[in-house]
Amino acid sequence: MKKASIFLLVIIFAATSLRFYQIDTNPIALYGDSLTGVYDAYSILKTGHDQKGEFMPLVFSLGGGRPGGYIYATVPFVALFGPTALSSRMVSVLSGIGIVFLLYLLGKRFFSESAGLAIAAVAAINPWELSLSRGPFETHFALFLTLFGFYSFLKGLKQKYWFAAFGLSFGLAMHTYSTYK
């Protein structure tokens, strides 16, 4: 195994550990938008309708017109863990780990492997990135989708089938965070 691969595994392990450490209790409570989001995901899972009775909406009116991307991405975790703080935060936690890995890939692509490792290491321990990873923030999921879409576009320039991932990723990002529209 190459030395760079070992460093990358250590970085990903650190990113994962920091994001999962006490994730169900820290932050202590969910804020109002996260409560409505996790309940909407639970409601979609059980009935196919949101809290107001609308069938499979693209925009959730109880969240002030919140796009449905994050809520639909939360549904599998609500199925696994119930309507809990953990299930509410899982999409953002996994997005944070994915962002660290994608920053490595993009840094390697544009600069060098060592630059990609340095960028990933900084992202793994960056307080801002950690903070966004520990709460149910649509912006964080949208950032992951955008980085993945950008990486997929670059790969698609050489291997055309990556363009499907590019289109899907940017299409989903648009339905995850209102500003992206």
Side-chain angles (χ1 to χ4, degrees):
M1 187 177 265
K2 285 178 28 179
K3 192 176 181 181
S5 298
I6 293 170
F7 282 138
L8 180 60
L9 286 175
V10 168
I11 291 167
I12 297 297
F13 178 76
T16 303
S17 299
L18 290 170
R19 281 156 182 77
F20 273 107
Y21 179 70
Q22 294 182 342
I23 191 62
D24 57 337
T25 58
N26 184 14
I28 291 173
L30 294 173
Y31 60 95
D33 283 348
S34 7
L35 290 170
T36 60
V38 76
Y39 188 72
D40 269 328
Y42 179 74
S43 184
I44 291 289
L45 174 69
K46 294 296 182 182
T47 67
H49 295 80
D50 70 355
Q51 294 179 57
K52 289 189 155 186
E54 189 177 337
F55 181 72
M56 302 294 273
L58 287 177
V59 176
F60 287 79
S61 58
L62 225 104
R66 174 187 299 131
Y70 193 93
I71 293 169
Y72 286 109
T74 303
V75 169
F77 300 108
V78 170
L80 287 172
F81 307 118
T84 63
L86 177 62
S87 59
S88 172
R89 297 172 179 157
M90 282 299 290
V91 173
S92 205
V93 168
L94 295 175
S95 294
I97 297 164
I99 286 168
V100 169
F101 184 66
L102 286 167
L103 288 174
Y104 161 74
L105 292 174
L106 290 168
K108 180 180 170 185
R109 164 84 165 74
F110 285 109
F111 302 107
S112 67
E113 187 161 47
S114 58
L117 288 169
I119 293 166
V122 168
I125 62 171
N126 182 295
W128 175 76
E129 171 60 29
L130 280 170
S131 177
L132 287 176
S133 292
R134 297 185 65 82
F137 299 114
E138 293 124 349
T139 54
H140 203 233
F141 185 43
L143 175 60
F144 166 75
L145 291 170
T146 301
L147 287 173
F148 182 68
F150 183 62
Y151 180 74
S152 299
F153 175 78
L154 294 173
K155 294 287 283 185
L157 295 174
K158 292 186 179 183
Q159 299 167 318
K160 301 295 181 206
Y161 61 87
W162 276 93
F163 281 130
F166 157 70
L168 181 64
S169 185
F170 273 99
L172 288 173
M174 196 171 61
H175 291 288
T176 300
Y177 184 52
S178 297
T179 305
Y180 278 36
K181 287 184 180 181

